[in-house]
Each structure stands twice: as C-alpha cells, then as structure tokens.
Amino acid sequence: MKKEIRPDYDLKVIGKNLRELRKKKGLSVEEVCQYLGIASERTIYYYEAGERVAPFDVMFAMMELYDADLEDVTGGKNAKLFYLWRTDEECEEWLRMICRTANPPVKYEDCLNEEGKFIGFNR
C-alpha cells in the first residue's frame, strides 16, 4: 500500500468552524468546558482562534457535542481530521483503540458512514 502524506489544514478555518458550531448549538464556552472537563475557558478560545490544536479525544467530544462531522470542522469535502499516520491501517488501529477506550465503549463499526469513513461516536 502506498504511504500517504498527512494533509495540511488551516487551523484558523478549523477554529472559526468550531466557534460557529458552538454558537449554532447555543452553547457558551463555559458549558463546553463543563462538558469536556476542561478547567480553563481560555483553552476553548485557543482552539477557536486556531492557536492550538485540540487533542483527538477532545476534538471528537466537541464534534459529538456540536453534532458535527469531519467536514463541518475542517471545512473540506471528504476531509480527514488531523492525522499523522503513514498508512490507513495505522489510522484505523488508532481509531479502534479510541472506540474501545471511550466511556462507555462503542463499536468501531457504529462510527462509520455508508462509505466506511469514520464519522465519530454515535450516541
């Protein structure tokens, strides 16, 4: 299998999209912090300004909270969320681990769309 190179994303666009998704749901930064278990509201402002990248578990949790998919966050057609893997198999292995360790655990297959692309946790 051909090794893939990680695509680049504009963190400012992602931050803007996160802010718009939060506002669309009518949530305050304080409410998002409470949901994520983050003590400092400044952290959310950093994500929304595109100054910092949220860890995967935080990004997935925000996507769940906002009822968003990868394209909503990245602004791209069939976009992939930040990944550093060299192969699709490495990416899938990591995503399966995230599903197993979620609280409560979820089936990896339940996190895929019709095309077999990972879309996040469906609760």
Side-chain angles (χ1 to χ4, degrees):
M1 166 171 256
K2 179 182 173 187
K3 292 186 178 188
E4 295 185 27
I5 297 174
R6 179 183 67 84
D8 291 324
Y9 295 104
D10 186 335
L11 294 182
K12 298 292 184 191
V13 170
I14 291 171
K16 177 179 166 273
N17 291 340
L18 288 173
R19 183 175 47 255
E20 289 176 5
L21 289 164
R22 175 179 57 78
K23 289 182 176 184
K24 183 178 176 184
K25 290 295 278 187
L27 297 168
S28 69
V29 171
E30 180 181 0
E31 291 170 316
V32 173
C33 284
Q34 289 174 351
Y35 176 80
L36 297 173
I38 294 175
S40 172
E41 292 179 17
R42 188 75 211 138
T43 301
I44 301 303
Y45 289 119
Y46 282 132
Y47 299 155
E48 291 184 355
E51 295 176 16
R52 293 192 185 160
V53 178
F56 282 102
D57 60 329
V58 173
M59 183 65 76
F60 289 152
M62 284 192 293
M63 289 169 58
E64 287 180 56
L65 180 62
Y66 302 155
D67 294 321
D69 62 22
L70 295 176
E71 291 178 15
D72 294 329
V73 173
T74 62
K77 180 88 172 124
N78 297 317
K80 293 182 181 177
L81 191 59
F82 311 98
Y83 66 89
L84 302 173
W85 302 278
R86 294 177 296 277
T87 65
D88 288 344
E89 289 81 14
E90 288 176 332
C91 180
E92 181 179 328
E93 180 182 329
W94 186 87
L95 291 171
R96 286 181 180 276
M97 184 273 303
I98 292 296
C99 290
R100 281 193 310 273
T101 59
N103 188 11
V106 295
K107 290 184 182 179
Y108 172 76
E109 293 74 19
D110 292 342
C111 299
L112 306 177
N113 67 11
E114 299 79 35
E115 292 87 36
K117 301 287 183 185
F118 189 85
I119 56 171
F121 300 145
N122 298 320
R123 295 184 193 207

